[in-house]
Amino acid sequence: MSISIQSIHKTFGSYTALDNISLEVPDGSLTALLGPSGSGKTTLLRIVAGLEFADPGSGRVLFHGEDVTDVQAGQRGVGFVFQHYALFKHMTVAENIAFGLTVLPSSKRPPKKDIDDRVNELLGLVKLDGLGKRRPHELSGGQRQRVALARALAIRPKVLLLDEPFGALDAQVRKDLRRWLRIFHDEIGLTTLFVTHDQEEALELADQVVVMANSRIEQVGPPQQVYDHPETPFVIRFLGNVNAIKDSRNPEAPIFVRPHDVSILFAAEADPATDRLARVQHLFAAGPVAKLSLRLDDGQFLDAELSRQQLDELGLDVGDPVAVRMQGASRFE
Amino acid sequence: MANRSVTTESALVRWLLIGLAIVILTLFLLLPLAAVFIEAFRRGSEVFIKALTEDAALSAIKLTLLAAGISVPLNTVFGLAAAWLITKFRFKGRSFLLSLIDLPFAVSPVIAGLVFVLLFGARGWFGPWLRENDIQIIFAFPGIILATVFVTFPFVARELIPLMESQGSDQEEAAVTLGARGWQVFRHVTLPNIKWGLLYGVLLCNARAMGEFGAVSVVSGHIRGKTNTLPLHVEVLYNEYQFSAAFACAALLALLALLTLGLKSLVEHLSGHSAKGH
């Protein structure tokens, strides 16, 4: 089921949290809302869930063409996974998962046996078979995360919303769970929207990345497109390390170039039309990639990355003169 | 001195402090408590039992239980509602409401009683109207309930607000997205999370309701066998030089206090167990 967000505006007192946001989330996609804290991404997610309401008269939220702007959270049919899971700690895992079914009015509530079957099915789906009788505090972070997911899926939601799904986990679990979630999403095909501040996570996991900053959307697109063709200085800076080099042509708008897009040549091979002269200021060669800090002829610093092999071929040392060629550089004028 | 830590004082200072604490505890807490029970039984258990079973005493006990029985449930509901409102919503006047809840703690109970006399007494604001409609509040049972409810209002709310504040609204929001309606959210999610704090607040509220003297004294009128609660009865007996009877009733109140303390420790013990690992 697709989600359509149309010119949503949200203020908290005098603070604007969302400034005229419009976004299409295609049916069955895995979309990431990526941005630094305070960019408005969590507020947007909560508005889609119905936990927060946009400013009156500002815009609409549609699920598969149906207007849900004024529908209460409980009636929207969204599965929401909270950053810290928000499991009911006095209930067992099975009771947590069954909650959405047990609170249904008696006319709609499935018989107890059906609920039990559904809980077991979901426990299997999230690879937690046999843990139904445990309490949340007896589980690891990754397991709790999956209980929260199973609980959200129990009500057969139309869309799945995840708030910083891996934020509270340590690095290794994070990686495993990320991969697992991608496979899981491909299996069940549920339209999923998740919030993250980690660009690597968004680029690796999502079909569509929505970069947000200062209550606005900066850019929307598939990960590779957003990474290769950033449309604003914010996006290029946020998606990875980048050099911002000023030149004489337009000092207001620097050239952005990623360290791995900087080529290094012997100073004698420099082509004055494209290359600039620099000296090696610092050299860090532990690990597969060598990192160089270069000082350009006008005093600006430039970071570059090259393979160990390239470094050995060049035979560089601190203080050596080199020529640098910046490929794939972007300028926003 | 190998494992002496930086925060440890020398043995002399430690023993001095401990000794001081014991002396103060004995003088100000244990001795008075012991005195109450010793005085109560000074003239034998027969006098003790008689003092508690005479009509005026029985009526005072009944009135005290009734006053607590009505005001504690009322304040449990009020306290829950106030704590819910204050912790789960952000609105204008929130901090004002918070101060208002503390008002009964800040005002002297005697003043609280006087306010009710000013409002509902024969010469009070609503006095003439009340008289015309044949309703008596001051020097009657309703006045005692009003005073008790006022004085014991903050206990439940004060216990719950920090607790609910620290728990946040995540679980409630999760329940809402899963389709739970207001009452279900409260019953299945909020209440189980606050039950020990609630019980603790109710216990304290009950202890105060049974022991309240000042406010009730002003509005009760001290009509023997009619509007005397147990603490007021103790005072009346004492003023009439019936010391043994006065101490017998005081012992009953002290016993209630000890019982409350015992239950309180039990609640703390149980909640400590259930909170483990969370």
Side-chain angles (χ1 to χ4, degrees):
Chain A
M1 190 160 288
S2 65
I3 305 171
S4 176
I5 297 162
Q6 303 174 349
S7 35
I8 288 288
H9 207 86
K10 174 74 182 173
T11 49
F12 293 108
S14 61
Y15 174 72
T16 302
L18 293 174
D19 187 4
N20 196 21
I21 299 284
S22 295
L23 176 68
E24 296 294 326
V25 179
D27 185 23
S29 77
L30 182 54
T31 295
L33 292 175
L34 172 67
S37 55
S39 57
K41 55 193 193 304
T42 296
T43 305
L44 184 58
L45 193 76
R46 289 172 62 86
I47 286 178
V48 173
L51 288 171
E52 210 88 67
F53 287 91
D55 290 350
S58 80
R60 322 219 59 78
V61 178
L62 280 70
F63 286 177
H64 208 71
E66 187 193 336
D67 191 338
V68 296
T69 316
D70 301 314
V71 177
Q72 294 291 318
Q75 269 64 55
R76 281 196 191 187
V78 295
F80 198 102
V81 176
F82 290 78
Q83 185 176 3
H84 299 287
Y85 323 129
L87 297 179
F88 307 129
K89 53 190 181 191
H90 57 282
M91 298 183 197
T92 63
V93 166
E95 285 165 346
N96 263 282
I97 297 174
F99 186 83
L101 302 173
T102 49
V103 296
L104 283 171
S106 53
S107 57
K108 288 189 197 156
R109 195 186 312 142
K112 192 172 176 315
K113 198 186 161 297
D114 291 6
I115 294 181
D116 290 346
D117 289 348
R118 176 94 178 115
V119 168
N120 285 327
E121 182 195 328
L122 284 160
L123 280 171
L125 197 63
V126 297
K127 307 271 177 283
L128 290 174
D129 308 76
L131 297 186
K133 289 204 167 63
R134 297 269 186 95
R135 302 252 166 195
H137 67 87
E138 296 169 313
L139 302 179
S140 70
Q143 290 172 325
R144 284 181 212 183
Q145 162 76 287
R146 281 177 283 155
V147 174
L149 190 61
R151 183 178 69 177
L153 292 172
I155 58 168
R156 299 190 190 280
K158 300 175 201 159
V159 298
L160 185 61
L161 308 173
L162 311 162
D163 186 8
E164 294 277 4
F166 314 107
L169 300 168
D170 53 57
Q172 190 52 48
V173 183
R174 219 178 153 104
K175 234 173 196 152
D176 293 346
L177 210 57
R178 199 193 287 175
R179 187 172 307 133
W180 176 82
L181 184 70
R182 179 69 237 190
I183 297 168
F184 182 79
H185 173 267
D186 294 344
E187 277 171 10
I188 63 170
L190 193 59
T191 309
T192 304
L193 189 58
F194 75 99
V195 157
T196 180
H197 63 268
D198 181 339
Q199 83 281 358
E200 198 187 310
E201 197 167 285
L203 295 174
E204 221 182 283
L205 197 54
D207 310 319
Q208 176 179 253
V209 177
V210 180
V211 185
M212 293 186 70
N214 299 320
S215 320
R216 291 208 179 99
I217 290 178
E218 292 276 323
Q219 189 172 352
V220 181
Q224 201 175 347
Q225 192 202 328
V226 175
Y227 189 81
D228 290 343
H229 305 287
E231 287 168 4
T232 68
F234 176 84
V235 174
I236 197 167
R237 280 180 195 275
F238 195 70
L239 291 186
N241 288 333
V242 71
N243 294 292
I245 301 298
K246 289 185 183 130
D247 65 4
S248 52
R249 193 162 72 79
N250 184 355
E252 293 298 305
I255 298 172
F256 289 96
V257 61
R258 299 209 181 276
H260 57 75
D261 286 335
V262 175
S263 303
I264 296 183
L265 305 91
F266 291 114
E269 296 171 8
D271 174 356
T274 54
D275 303 345
R276 293 186 64 171
L277 292 171
R279 261 176 208 284
V280 178
Q281 185 80 19
H282 186 76
L283 205 151
F284 177 78
V289 178
K291 296 177 181 174
L292 277 75
S293 176
L294 307 166
R295 192 182 181 125
L296 294 172
D297 44 10
D298 63 356
Q300 293 187 78
F301 285 96
L302 177 74
D303 287 333
E305 284 175 11
L306 51 161
S307 70
R308 287 291 293 278
Q309 197 192 346
Q310 285 173 301
L311 182 73
D312 291 343
E313 281 168 15
L314 288 164
L316 289 179
D317 216 334
V318 174
D320 288 351
V322 291
V324 293
R325 187 171 295 170
M326 301 176 206
Q327 294 145 325
S330 327
R331 194 199 283 269
F332 304 94
E333 287 172 301
Chain B
M1 293 307 240
N3 54 5
R4 186 180 155 183
S5 88
V6 283
T7 52
T8 310
E9 298 293 339
S10 73
L12 181 70
V13 175
R14 267 186 287 161
W15 284 112
L16 262 175
L17 286 173
I18 292 171
L20 196 66
I22 289 174
V23 169
I24 291 174
L25 270 178
T26 313
L27 266 179
F28 291 97
L29 292 172
L30 288 176
L31 212 57
L33 194 64
V36 168
F37 286 99
I38 291 166
E39 284 299 325
F41 288 101
R42 182 181 286 271
R43 290 169 54 197
S45 54
E46 254 172 66
V47 177
F48 178 83
I49 290 166
K50 203 171 149 244
L52 290 181
T53 49
E54 57 140 340
D55 286 349
L58 281 179
S59 142
I61 292 170
K62 218 173 87 186
L63 186 60
T64 298
L65 290 178
L66 205 59
I70 292 174
S71 45
V72 171
L74 274 180
N75 276 337
T76 304
V77 175
F78 290 160
L80 267 170
W84 170 274
L85 184 68
I86 280 173
T87 55
K88 308 286 173 187
F89 301 93
R90 292 286 174 271
F91 53 91
K92 272 195 182 122
R94 183 172 164 274
S95 52
F96 176 69
L97 184 63
L98 208 56
S99 325
L100 211 61
I101 289 172
D102 280 340
L103 189 70
F105 276 171
V107 202
S108 152
V110 177
I111 311 282
L114 271 176
V115 168
F116 287 118
V117 173
L118 277 174
L119 286 177
F120 305 117
R123 289 151 196 247
W125 288 9
F126 303 110
W129 184 85
L130 289 170
R131 199 167 44 241
E132 268 168 39
N133 290 279
D134 206 21
I135 302 169
Q136 192 170 10
I137 292 181
I138 300 304
F139 305 146
F141 184 61
I144 292 170
I145 297 297
L146 270 180
T148 311
V149 168
F150 179 85
V151 170
T152 57
F153 181 79
F155 286 94
V156 174
R158 265 286 147 206
E159 198 58 50
L160 291 181
I161 288 168
L163 181 66
M164 289 166 81
E165 197 90 63
S166 72
Q167 286 175 346
S169 315
D170 271 14
Q171 289 185 44
E172 276 85 0
E173 284 186 343
V176 165
T177 62
L178 292 167
R181 280 147 291 160
W183 170 248
Q184 290 175 315
V185 174
F186 179 75
R187 207 182 89 73
H188 296 300
V189 179
T190 309
L191 198 58
N193 278 333
I194 59 166
K195 62 180 176 193
W196 295 114
L198 180 65
L199 201 59
Y200 191 94
V202 167
L203 271 176
L204 292 180
C205 181
N206 183 57
R208 182 64 189 268
M210 288 188 173
E212 174 52 25
F213 179 81
V216 171
S217 169
V218 176
V219 297
S220 109
H222 300 263
I223 307 166
R224 209 175 190 153
K226 229 178 141 192
T227 64
N228 257 357
T229 61
L230 204 49
L232 300 184
H233 187 59
V234 172
E235 194 213 13
V236 170
L237 290 173
Y238 189 82
N239 288 344
E240 291 170 353
Y241 302 106
Q242 303 189 42
F243 295 130
S244 289
F247 276 109
C249 292
L252 187 63
L253 279 172
L255 211 61
L256 280 175
L258 289 177
L259 190 71
T260 306
L261 281 180
L263 285 173
K264 184 183 129 260
S265 315
L266 187 70
V267 168
E268 275 170 353
H269 180 72
L270 288 174
S271 65
H273 271 280
S274 83
K276 235 174 226 168
H278 282 179

